[in-house]
Amino acid sequence: MGALRLVGHHFTPHAEQPFRRIGWQQLPEFLVDWAVMLVCWLAVQSWLRRPRAAAAGARGRHRWVWPGSVVLMLAVWSGYLLLFWPGILVRDSWSSLFLGQGEWPMNNHHPVLFSLWVGQCLRFAHWAGGGTSLGVAIFSVVQAVVMACVLATVVSWLWARVGRRAAGMALLFFALSPQLGMWSVTMHKDSLFVCWVALLALLFTQAALRGSGWLTRPWPMLGLLVLLLAISFSRNNGPYIAVGIAALVVLWTLPGLRGASRGRTALAVLCQVAVLASVFWVQGPLYRQWGVVPGEYAETVGLPLHQVSWSVVHGQATSEQLLTYWWMIPPDRAREVFNPAIVDSVKFDRQFDTAWLNEHPEEFMGLWRDMRAANHLSYASAWFGLAGGYVDPERFFTRFDVGTERGAGHFADELPRTNLFGELREENSDAARLARIAGHVASWPGVSLLFAMPLLFWLCLMAAARALLDRRSAWVLPFAPFLLCVGTLLLAAPVTDFRYVAAGHVALPVLVAAAWLMRPVREMRPEHAD
């Protein structure tokens, strides 16, 4: 943590050399960072081992908590629908509209089921006599209802297991967070994905409280299988997260094979294996049979492309290597547009030849391997430029995206230019001002902790380590979905973007509750037993 904080502090993306020199003169700074992180680690570990009082505020299930939470969240979020009518359309949204409408060949760059769902909303709107605007509005409403139902489940569980104060704070957080309010009406795959991660964390917290035998019961296991499917088909890194989760669950439940419930445990293991096998079969052979076109090769090699470009700009490259690189983009042009924090500056440049990269994957990977020997530091720096922000404990980042017409095509003429208040979509509108105010408030001390996903990653890692040290492996599971989500990002290294790790923001009440519940319960004195 100290080393990553030091490197992140000296990373200056807009400088001619992105990293200021780091040498022995930074040793005192590193030692200070290391000492601060060590104190934080020991403090967290001490708190996790300290006995807690029983959840005296927990009141069991209440029939009005869940529907009341749904109604309150939808009532607050409806304001965002009015401001951003018929919904917030970001760059990925236009691709989903073209795919759902059948104007582009179906591809797996975006989740296929998501594109099909968008298409069904458009078809229903046209059947009902409306147009694209009505279809987008239908999508926004359905997505908001699903999100409210999922988050209301979290609130209801907190009411039952932790207490009404915790449930009330979580409800206010869900309802008043501008990030969640805007995401409820944003057409992208991440809005629902983060909800499935929160539900998984909740399911595993309940399982840790009840024991491994509870998770192998029919209804909890059915819920786990459904969530594994939901995560797998919600985002492209979903199947790998699902594999990691299933592996941890199998390891945790394996001792049950020696007990009286070994039949049920074996069936649970087989069901998870069957579900994951079906996921890879559907997304592989079945998609090809249905004519689903694979995503562009250029979209899958963002990190290698960034490492090669970094080496061309700041590292070493032979004339032969530069000649091969020239087929994609002239080196002088790459040096002009290169941004160390995002690969899109090169990949989406007007002079970049995407077709050559898609048609010559072997030549490109050969170039990447040849340049690696002389550019180890450049390759590591390029990785940190793309993914280092996810693990730099000092970083926090938000993204209040109000949408764009970039890539809209003919859909831009089919959508209203004003919201339901009659305001034009421009920089001075109330919607744009709301996003700017939300971004400013999110940077305040204290509030920024809600968006400090790298710090949350390390805290979850600390809690999981404590569970392993105490030999209570069950408590690793609640933190595993978010840790695996970040872990896959560190391997794939996409651009550092809040939406890729927003699962931690949405699951925050569950993760905090899990960290509190995993602490041993303080034994009550006999006179207070009643």
Side-chain angles (χ1 to χ4, degrees):
M1 292 175 68
L4 287 167
R5 188 265 169 196
L6 176 69
V7 173
H9 181 67
H10 287 268
F11 179 61
T12 53
H14 302 293
E16 182 178 349
Q17 176 56 259
F19 281 102
R20 299 197 298 272
R21 177 172 174 77
I22 299 178
W24 289 107
Q25 62 270 29
Q26 273 73 46
L27 181 60
E29 182 181 353
F30 166 73
L31 292 176
V32 170
D33 289 341
W34 179 82
V36 170
M37 298 305 171
L38 178 62
V39 170
C40 292
W41 175 276
L42 294 175
V44 171
Q45 297 298 314
S46 176
W47 182 82
L48 289 172
R49 298 196 69 180
R50 188 181 308 156
R52 64 175 174 86
R59 295 173 172 266
R61 300 193 180 279
H62 194 288
R63 61 179 181 175
W64 295 111
V65 173
W66 188 86
S69 301
V70 171
V71 171
L72 178 61
M73 280 186 275
L74 290 178
V76 176
W77 293 349
S78 63
Y80 294 96
L81 182 60
L82 298 178
L83 274 176
F84 297 101
W85 178 264
I88 299 177
L89 297 169
V90 296
R91 185 170 180 176
D92 286 351
S93 307
W94 304 116
S95 301
S96 299
L97 287 172
F98 281 113
L99 292 169
Q101 192 86 313
E103 299 183 28
W104 289 359
M106 184 61 69
N107 63 66
N108 62 2
H109 178 61
H110 299 292
V112 173
L113 290 184
F114 180 81
S115 300
L116 293 175
W117 174 31
V118 172
Q120 288 301 115
C121 292
L122 294 176
R123 291 185 185 90
F124 181 80
H126 291 308
W127 173 82
T132 303
S133 180
L134 178 61
V136 174
I138 292 173
F139 174 92
S140 299
V141 171
V142 173
Q143 178 174 263
V145 170
V146 173
M147 288 183 63
C149 291
V150 170
L151 299 181
T153 302
V154 174
V155 174
S156 180
W157 179 84
L158 288 172
W159 178 284
R161 302 297 300 187
V162 181
R164 60 181 180 180
R165 183 178 300 176
M169 293 175 63
L171 178 58
L172 290 177
F173 170 66
F174 291 146
L176 300 181
S177 170
Q179 192 75 70
L180 289 176
M182 294 175 67
W183 272 31
S184 68
V185 295
T186 299
M187 182 182 286
H188 61 32
K189 55 187 178 291
D190 302 289
S191 295
L192 293 181
F193 174 82
V194 298
C195 292
W196 309 142
V197 173
L199 274 184
L200 263 177
L202 186 152
L203 178 69
F204 287 145
T205 305
Q206 181 73 0
L209 291 170
R210 300 289 296 273
S212 59
W214 177 84
L215 190 58
T216 58
R217 292 179 181 178
W219 285 111
M221 179 52 58
L222 179 61
L224 173 61
L225 297 177
V226 170
L227 287 174
L228 289 178
L229 286 172
I231 280 183
S232 298
F233 288 100
S234 295
R235 208 158 73 180
N236 289 340
N237 63 336
Y240 308 105
I241 297 173
V243 168
I245 290 172
L248 290 174
V249 172
V250 169
L251 289 174
W252 183 47
T253 55
L254 275 181
L257 293 174
R258 295 176 295 180
S261 61
R262 56 181 174 273
R264 196 172 65 193
T265 303
L267 180 61
V269 173
L270 291 175
C271 286
Q272 292 177 80
V273 173
V275 164
L276 293 176
S278 66
V279 166
F280 286 98
W281 176 73
V282 169
Q283 296 187 358
L286 192 58
Y287 275 5
R288 288 194 294 270
Q289 185 178 345
W290 287 348
V292 177
V293 180
E296 290 187 342
Y297 177 75
E299 294 291 340
T300 65
V301 290
L303 176 59
L305 177 60
H306 197 58
Q307 290 173 324
V308 170
S309 298
W310 190 299
S311 301
V312 169
V313 176
H314 297 297
Q316 302 178 34
T318 65
S319 57
E320 184 179 352
Q321 292 168 348
L322 290 175
L323 181 61
T324 305
Y325 185 80
W326 180 88
W327 287 103
M328 293 183 290
I329 184 174
D332 290 340
R333 178 62 179 174
R335 296 185 182 97
E336 181 181 343
V337 301
F338 180 75
N339 184 337
I342 183 171
V343 68
D344 293 356
S345 60
V346 171
K347 187 172 65 175
F348 291 141
D349 186 72
R350 63 181 182 274
Q351 295 188 31
F352 186 80
D353 192 346
T354 305
W356 185 91
L357 180 56
N358 291 331
E359 295 169 3
H360 299 82
E362 294 181 0
E363 288 87 339
F364 172 74
M365 292 309 298
L367 174 66
W368 178 77
R369 287 190 296 268
D370 292 342
M371 298 185 71
R372 181 175 55 192
N375 293 282
H376 289 299
L377 184 58
S378 293
Y379 274 37
S381 302
W383 173 85
F384 187 88
L386 290 184
Y390 293 128
V391 288
D392 177 2
E394 194 178 41
R395 286 283 298 276
F396 84 95
F397 36 86
T398 61
R399 186 178 182 182
F400 297 96
D401 197 339
V402 298
T404 180
E405 290 190 357
R406 185 179 179 184
H410 67 83
F411 286 113
D413 299 326
E414 300 176 17
L415 294 171
R417 295 289 180 179
T418 61
N419 59 24
L420 293 186
F421 295 111
E423 280 192 323
L424 290 172
R425 298 174 178 270
E426 56 185 16
E427 293 184 359
N428 295 323
S429 64
D430 287 341
R433 282 194 291 271
L434 172 65
R436 288 196 295 269
I437 292 173
H440 177 68
V441 173
S443 65
W444 290 356
V447 180
S448 63
L449 292 176
L450 300 175
F451 301 91
M453 295 300 101
L455 180 60
L456 180 63
F457 168 78
W458 286 106
L459 291 175
C460 289
L461 203 60
M462 292 180 191
R466 182 74 267 157
L468 291 175
L469 290 172
D470 290 344
R471 298 187 177 182
R472 295 187 297 157
S473 58
W475 288 102
V476 173
L477 291 175
F479 309 100
F482 178 62
L483 292 175
L484 288 169
C485 181
V486 178
T488 56
L489 295 175
L490 296 179
L491 293 176
V495 60
T496 304
D497 195 333
F498 175 77
R499 67 190 178 100
Y500 291 128
V501 288
H505 181 73
V506 178
L508 186 61
V510 181
L511 298 175
V512 172
W516 184 76
L517 290 170
M518 71 179 287
R519 297 162 61 198
V521 179
R522 184 186 302 117
E523 294 184 5
M524 300 179 63
R525 295 180 180 178
E527 61 268 23
H528 298 297
D530 293 338

